[in-house]
Amino acid sequence: LVEQGGKIMAEGTSTDPIVFTSGAATPARGDWGGIIICGSAPINKGTTATAEVGDVLYGGTASTDDSGILQYVRVEYTGNAINTEKEHNGFTFNGVGSGTTLSYLQAYMGGDDGFEFFGGTVDADHLVSTGSKDDCFDWTYGWTGAGSYWIAEQASDEGDRGIEADNQGGANGSTPFSNPTLTNITLVGRGVSAGKVGMKLREGTKGD
């Protein structure tokens, strides 16, 4: 958990990525939490809000806020549940600003969403969600950044939506609207027999 004002500087390379993984002899989804970053960029649930996991603040008015660098990083077997309402994603970006670098990241076999954006202005490129139990990519609370070169690869046993996108559930017209710009997105689901939705856009979200 990286709190407001803190930074994570995790800079791997294509041949030597940084891997956060389970310590279990037989690893499985939900063995540990995940990576959570809380920044000071705008959200639409008040000026600030309390993070779903960690009970710390995120959000603010600093659209260019810098929470550090995640580059060539993989998280494996994440998604530990706090309770029935709160679960860790592989990567959680809470009000993260555009000064932050998110590039070449993979969420592998997690117990909830692969990547989730709660507001913020950060851009994220070359993201891969592999075998996430819930949604591959998720946003809400006014995320206005950009996403490019994303791949969702659901496992045969689990996986809900490729993208689940919201503005704000309790007040669909809240501003800033969720309005990301997405380019070069590939969503590979579990097949028609699973009965799942590739992409669900709801609760006031916008997007290009």
Side-chain angles (χ1 to χ4, degrees), residues 2-61:
V2 180
E3 296 187 53
Q4 286 184 317
K7 290 184 180 182
I8 183 170
M9 306 301 289
E11 299 178 75
T13 68
S14 60
T15 56
D16 191 18
I18 296 169
V19 181
F20 294 82
T21 192
S22 167
T26 305
R29 294 184 181 97
D31 279 353
W32 64 288
I35 293 179
I36 304 167
I37 300 180
C38 295
S40 299
I43 61 174
N44 68 18
K45 196 180 181 184
T47 303
T48 60
T50 301
E52 183 176 301
V53 175
D55 294 325
V56 297
L57 291 179
Y58 69 94
T61 59

Side-chain angles (χ1 to χ4, degrees), residues 104-176:
Y104 294 98
L105 309 179
Q106 183 182 20
Y108 178 79
M109 298 298 287
D112 197 47
D113 296 338
F115 298 85
E116 185 157 8
F117 299 83
F118 290 86
T121 55
V122 69
D123 297 342
D125 66 89
H126 297 88
L127 305 187
V128 181
S129 173
T130 306
S132 296
K133 184 176 180 179
D134 195 10
D135 305 313
C136 301
F137 303 102
D138 196 332
W139 68 76
T140 189
Y141 297 163
W143 178 48
T144 58
S148 59
Y149 300 101
W150 290 5
I151 297 176
E153 300 175 308
Q154 291 185 329
S156 60
D157 63 327
E158 295 281 5
D160 195 6
R161 296 162 182 146
I163 292 176
E164 181 177 284
D166 303 312
N167 187 46
Q168 192 194 132
N172 295 175
S174 297
T175 58

Side-chain angles (χ1 to χ4, degrees), residues 66-116:
D66 181 1
S67 294
I69 299 173
L70 287 174
Q71 191 167 48
Y72 288 107
V73 174
R74 183 168 74 248
V75 295
E76 301 177 335
Y77 309 110
T78 60
N80 192 269
I82 304 300
N83 56 43
T84 57
E85 299 296 324
K86 298 181 179 182
E87 291 182 323
H88 286 271
N89 304 298
F91 293 91
T92 302
F93 305 119
N94 295 322
V96 176
S98 62
T100 308
T101 297
L102 305 177
S103 187
Y104 294 98
L105 309 179
Q106 183 182 20
Y108 178 79
M109 298 298 287
D112 197 47
D113 296 338
F115 298 85
E116 185 157 8

